Amino acid sequence: MMLYPSMQVRQPFEVAVIGGGACGGSIAYELALNNVKVALFDSGEVGREASWASAGMIGPDSSPELDPWFSESTKASAKRYGTLIEELRELTGRNIGYGGDGGLLISRTEKELESIRSKTKQQETSGIEIHLIDGEEACKREPALPEDVTGALFNPGGRQLDARAYTAAIVAGSESSRGLAGGNRLLL
């Protein structure tokens, strides 16, 4: 699904979104929900670049440095996924593969453990629920971890999704006129 520069747009649009991956599709979807006429442009096959290779991790703890804007936007994003996944399932009939019961950032050396301790303090001050756990507890939570884990930062709110399935569903949801405000369609 793509719009080539040589093709003519059949309907007028108010906003052009460049890039048909998870981010572009999400922007197009939210704009369409708000009654904005959107065109989505991609130079290749929709969802087959970075979104195709994404690990699909959701959680503010993935930031190496806690920028206040980034922290707040990732908290809001994580919260939105709870309702968005169900909206997309109802709208498109597609399952996303969303879930999980927390995230772990592990350490295997004393130097890495010290870095995790520092990161834990940093994130606790920003209001993110986070816990420093020892290697034994980390291995109980995830039995596939290597035996030399010295500790881990555990984020109970961490989730993951199938990025490929999400991208396909969000673009399909954007294209669908069913359930979108004003019946706007994404132009491809």
Side-chain angles (χ1 to χ4, degrees), residues 28-29 32 38-40 170-171 174-176 180 184-188:
Y29 179 80
V38 181
L40 180 64
I170 197 75
V171 170
S174 297
E175 291 177 295
S176 176
L180 296 181
N184 288 325
R185 295 183 57 83
L186 178 73
L187 306 170
L188 293 176

Side-chain angles (χ1 to χ4, degrees), residues 3-4 14 17 26 42 66 70 76 92 107 111 118 120 135 165 173 177:
L3 181 66
Y4 293 97
E14 299 166 302
V17 176
S26 297
D42 199 291
L66 234 91
F70 183 84
T92 68
S107 65
K111 184 177 179 181
S118 173
T120 301
S177 62

Side-chain angles (χ1 to χ4, degrees), residues 87-138:
E87 282 175 27
L88 291 173
R89 185 178 300 118
E90 289 176 16
L91 188 61
T92 68
R94 297 174 186 233
N95 288 320
I96 306 300
Y98 172 75
D101 55 1
L104 290 171
L105 175 62
I106 66 166
S107 65
R108 297 175 73 183
T109 67
E110 284 303 314
K111 184 177 179 181
E112 289 174 349
L113 183 57
E114 187 54 41
S115 174
I116 285 177
R117 282 186 184 116
S118 173
K119 188 172 186 174
T120 301
K121 289 177 187 173
Q122 199 179 32
Q123 292 194 346
E124 285 173 339
T125 62
S126 72
I128 298 170
E129 183 182 358
I130 206 87
H131 308 282
L132 184 62
I133 60 176
D134 63 25
E136 185 178 331
E137 175 66 21

Side-chain angles (χ1 to χ4, degrees), residues 7-174:
M7 293 179 70
Q8 291 184 349
V9 177
R10 289 170 275 200
Q11 299 175 24
F13 58 90
E14 299 166 302
V15 175
V17 176
I18 310 301
C23 291
S26 297
I27 291 166
Y29 179 80
E30 294 294 336
L31 286 168
L33 285 178
N34 286 286
N35 206 25
V36 175
K37 294 177 184 172
V38 181
L40 180 64
F41 296 85
D42 199 291
S43 63
E45 192 174 344
V46 169
R48 294 297 176 129
E49 299 295 331
S51 297
W52 191 254
S54 171
M57 297 183 318
I58 300 170
D61 62 306
S62 61
S63 171
E65 295 180 21
L66 234 91
D67 173 275
W69 176 88
F70 183 84
S71 179
E72 289 306 311
S73 61
T74 56
K75 284 181 202 175
S77 176
K79 184 178 177 183
R80 175 69 174 113
Y81 275 109
T83 56
L84 177 59
I85 298 305
E86 188 55 38
E87 282 175 27
L88 291 173
R89 185 178 300 118
E90 289 176 16
L91 188 61
T92 68
R94 297 174 186 233
N95 288 320
I96 306 300
Y98 172 75
D101 55 1
L104 290 171
L105 175 62
I106 66 166
S107 65
R108 297 175 73 183
T109 67
E110 284 303 314
K111 184 177 179 181
E112 289 174 349
L113 183 57
E114 187 54 41
S115 174
I116 285 177
R117 282 186 184 116
S118 173
K119 188 172 186 174
T120 301
K121 289 177 187 173
Q122 199 179 32
Q123 292 194 346
E124 285 173 339
T125 62
S126 72
I128 298 170
E129 183 182 358
I130 206 87
H131 308 282
L132 184 62
I133 60 176
D134 63 25
E136 185 178 331
E137 175 66 21
C139 289
K140 283 180 186 174
R141 290 188 179 278
E142 178 49 67
L145 289 176
E147 293 178 11
D148 64 346
V149 172
T150 57
L153 183 149
F154 174 62
N155 173 0
R159 300 290 179 265
Q160 74 275 343
L161 57 76
D162 179 332
R164 294 174 183 186
Y166 171 77
T167 303
I170 197 75
V171 170
S174 297

